[in-house]
Amino acid sequence: MKSILTYFSLGLLFFTSCTSADSTDKDLDKQPDKNIILEMESELQLLEDEIILLKEHFEFLLGNRDSVLLSSPKDKYTFDKGFSTNTPRDSGILSSVVIFRNTPDYDRSLENVLVTNSMDSLFHRVMNRYDMIAQVYFNTVDQVSRVYPPYDAKTLLDPYIDVTKFNFFYEANEKNNPEKGPKWTKEVYIDPAGRGWILSLIHPVFDEGVLYSVLGIDITIDTIIGRFLEKRSGNYLIINSKGDIVGGDAAAIEALSFPPLLNHVYRETIRADNFRISDFNLFNSKNKEVRSMAQAFLLQRKDHFAFKDDFSPKEAYSVPLNLLDWYLVRINPRGR
């Protein structure tokens, strides 16, 4: 009798163990794939190392201005009303260089272009090493912009732009970046050069202790979606700490009742600049449950939200990123 009870107990334990394991596996299958975050942040971390090297070379050029000017080719760039005359089709490692018309001293800015000409080859090297990068550049306090690869700057840019008024410049200053190191912009923004929604890694450059320039490495949101989300099983969103949808697949966004995207693919929509990212904020959703989900994830720091309305998804899970102030959210439809 004792033997029979022992085998029965062992069998019950085995059954319970298997059931528990199966249940755990199913629960994990509903949650965000954390490999997405690991892959994304490992690649982004490499870019931080690169921009530090760019910053060190830039400051070396500024610190050795006189000797650099002696060896810098004077005919590498010619300008027409402040815009370099080379085109994207020209051969060679050239950037698009602009001296905006609000520069305080055009001749001094032109001299600074000569001092920093060797940055072109470094920009070219970084672009060739990382296919996720959209562009590498710097902007200066005296209104000089150097961007690689070259683009049709004269057509796309207002010649009176003040580059210091953009977040890819002022977020790197001493007030907003007291550590003076690499920093990711807090929000995505529309690229003035027409590349759509952009996330930037920026780094200040100092000349004798005074902020002179800000380096930048740009990644398009379109690239992030295609590289890290598109091929994953499940419907994903990336949101920031304010509830803005930074990126995601169309199915996930449409499931949260955002009418403007019902007939559009999100990756196509973000290439345009005809809407504000705040229009896609979870707290602004017409769906009360979506607003409650945003509150649960962002204010209450919960990692799971169950929808009650039959017309809503079944549930959502959230995992914070470490490098960026973002959250990876998985939306699970009903029927799972």
Side-chain angles (χ1 to χ4, degrees), residues 59-272:
E59 291 187 344
F60 170 82
L61 295 176
L62 296 176
N64 295 272
R65 171 186 297 273
D66 293 340
S67 59
V68 171
L69 280 173
L70 291 175
S71 58
S72 181
K74 303 298 188 292
D75 59 349
K76 186 175 183 179
Y77 290 99
T78 58
F79 291 86
D80 178 21
K81 297 180 180 178
F83 291 88
S84 60
T85 56
N86 59 297
T87 70
R89 295 184 179 182
D90 290 338
S91 60
I93 303 173
L94 294 177
S95 301
S96 287
V97 182
V98 181
I99 304 174
F100 292 100
R101 296 183 188 177
N102 51 1
T103 179
D105 187 335
Y106 183 88
D107 291 336
R108 179 68 171 177
S109 294
L110 186 58
E111 183 180 276
N112 287 335
V113 170
L114 296 177
V115 171
T116 58
N117 270 342
S118 66
M119 293 298 295
D120 290 339
S121 59
L122 275 70
F123 286 178
H124 174 77
R125 177 186 62 80
V126 172
M127 282 289 301
N128 281 352
R129 289 187 66 182
Y130 304 94
D131 59 1
M132 68 185 299
I133 295 177
Q135 56 190 14
V136 188
Y137 58 93
F138 68 73
N139 296 291
T140 71
V141 294
D142 58 346
Q143 303 298 332
V144 174
S145 176
R146 183 187 297 266
V147 179
Y148 184 87
Y151 65 103
D152 190 1
K154 193 170 185 178
T155 299
L156 294 171
L157 295 185
D158 179 345
Y160 291 96
I161 282 179
D162 181 354
V163 293
T164 67
K165 300 300 184 183
F166 287 84
N167 68 334
F168 53 74
F169 190 95
Y170 65 74
E171 284 191 20
N173 65 25
E174 293 172 279
K175 177 182 177 181
N176 295 310
N177 184 24
E179 295 84 5
K180 302 180 181 179
K183 181 179 181 181
W184 293 93
T185 51
K186 293 180 181 178
E187 300 177 8
V188 297
Y189 61 93
I190 287 293
D191 175 34
R195 289 180 171 88
W197 291 99
I198 292 286
L199 169 68
S200 289
L201 171 64
I202 53 180
H203 201 304
V205 177
F206 291 87
D207 184 11
E208 297 183 349
V210 178
L211 179 65
Y212 171 68
S213 179
V214 175
L215 283 157
I217 295 177
D218 284 352
I219 305 170
T220 66
I221 298 303
D222 181 53
T223 296
I224 291 176
I225 295 170
R227 193 178 188 90
F228 300 109
L229 299 183
E230 192 175 61
K231 297 179 181 179
R232 301 288 178 169
S233 175
N235 300 325
Y236 284 98
L237 298 173
I238 296 174
I239 61 175
N240 64 20
S241 60
K242 298 194 303 182
D244 296 320
I245 298 175
V246 173
D249 59 65
I253 295 171
E254 291 172 8
L256 298 182
S257 305
F258 283 93
L261 287 178
L262 288 177
N263 298 315
H264 298 81
V265 176
Y266 188 70
R267 288 187 62 191
E268 294 177 356
T269 308
I270 61 172
R271 294 189 183 109

